[in-house]
Amino acid sequence: SQQGEEDPQALSIQEGENATMNCSYKTSINNLQWYRQNSGRGLVHLILIRSNEREKHSGRLRVTLDTSKKSSSLLITASRAADTASYFCATATYNTDKLIFGTGTRLQVFP
Amino acid sequence: AAGVIQSPRHLIKEKRETATLKCYPIPRHDTVYWYQQGPGQDPQFLISFYEKMQSDKGSIPDRFSAQQFSDYHSELNMSSLELGDSALYFCASSYSGFNTGELFFGEGSRLTVL
């Protein structure tokens, strides 16, 4: 990956359980975003957290950012089978608006 | 609401042929990005355009070129295709005035090189 790694690479859980995905990056960032991708489909924006924020919530999603460790985590609470997808973190730096994606986590939620 | 439109959705080409992918951004969006995603890989940034000018360049091969037209649609031209060019190609758009950083992605164009 151009920017960093996500772990785990794959995660299988039962409906109702929580799913936590981690992302590490290499450079200083302006913001970090999480995207979801169903197999073979386009990427859908989930949530954005700015470099001066430490935690953000959106529905069942909770994102944390630790700029000192250059890492972020995405927590999906009370998972559903429909949450099955790949999840990517992506970072934006200050001098450009392009996004650099991490390697992604494949989440499988079993009914 | 209108989304990013990409065409064609699927494309099959032979080695050494040429392919052109088109992208129609969300109305009023002024910035277009192109990404390449190989099987099981993360999306790799290729190139971006802001107000019809190239704004950033990533890992785009010299065999590829792109431009953004006066109506803000963009085209990615790929020549001398190689087997390794087989991938999903995504276009994304954004509006600089929002300053939200969010990109809106199309459904992608799947290129298969035989």
Side-chain angles (χ1 to χ4, degrees), chain A residues 2 33 37 41 48 96 99 102, chain B residues 35 42 44 56 100-101 107:
Chain A
Q2 295 177 27
Q33 304 177 35
Q37 183 181 35
R41 304 292 301 273
L48 179 152
T96 177
L99 290 181
Chain B
Y35 285 83
D42 52 294
Q44 298 285 311
D56 211 335
T100 61
E107 287 295 323

Side-chain angles (χ1 to χ4, degrees), chain B residues 83-105:
Chain B
L83 296 178
D85 295 330
S86 295
L88 261 175
Y89 289 84
F90 288 105
C91 172
S93 72
S94 67
Y95 175 56
S96 58
F98 290 151
N99 196 31
T100 61
E102 175 183 355
L103 300 190
F104 296 81
F105 282 81

Side-chain angles (χ1 to χ4, degrees), chain A residues 5-76:
Chain A
E5 301 296 320
E6 288 187 49
D7 80 271
Q9 290 190 341
L11 180 60
S12 295
I13 59 175
Q14 295 290 132
E15 261 189 332
E17 293 181 336
N18 295 342
T20 299
M21 290 159 266
N22 303 296
C23 162
S24 62
Y25 56 91
K26 298 174 183 174
T27 61
S28 295
I29 61 170
N30 179 20
N31 66 71
L32 184 144
Q33 304 177 35
W34 286 87
Y35 284 78
R36 167 198 167 118
Q37 183 181 35
N38 285 24
S39 181
R41 304 292 301 273
L43 294 109
V44 176
H45 180 265
L46 295 175
I47 195 167
L48 179 152
I49 186 165
R50 301 197 182 279
S51 60
N52 60 353
E53 298 175 313
R54 292 297 167 258
E55 187 171 315
K56 204 160 184 181
H57 298 254
S58 177
R60 294 185 295 115
L61 306 180
R62 171 177 168 256
V63 170
T64 63
L65 178 65
D66 186 336
T67 52
S68 66
K69 295 180 180 178
K70 291 187 168 57
S71 66
S72 173
S73 68
L74 171 68
L75 169 66
I76 303 174

Side-chain angles (χ1 to χ4, degrees), chain B residues 42-101:
Chain B
D42 52 294
Q44 298 285 311
F45 172 73
L46 293 179
I47 195 166
S48 62
F49 293 88
Y50 166 69
E51 284 291 343
K52 293 152 278 184
M53 299 287 289
Q54 181 182 307
S55 55
D56 211 335
K57 194 171 181 180
S59 51
I60 184 169
D62 291 340
R63 300 177 288 109
F64 292 9
S65 64
Q67 57 181 325
Q68 187 179 29
F69 294 86
S70 58
D71 64 352
Y72 292 96
H73 95 271
S74 178
E75 294 184 6
L76 177 66
N77 299 294
M78 299 174 284
S79 62
S80 302
L81 288 170
E82 302 173 355
L83 296 178
D85 295 330
S86 295
L88 261 175
Y89 289 84
F90 288 105
C91 172
S93 72
S94 67
Y95 175 56
S96 58
F98 290 151
N99 196 31
T100 61

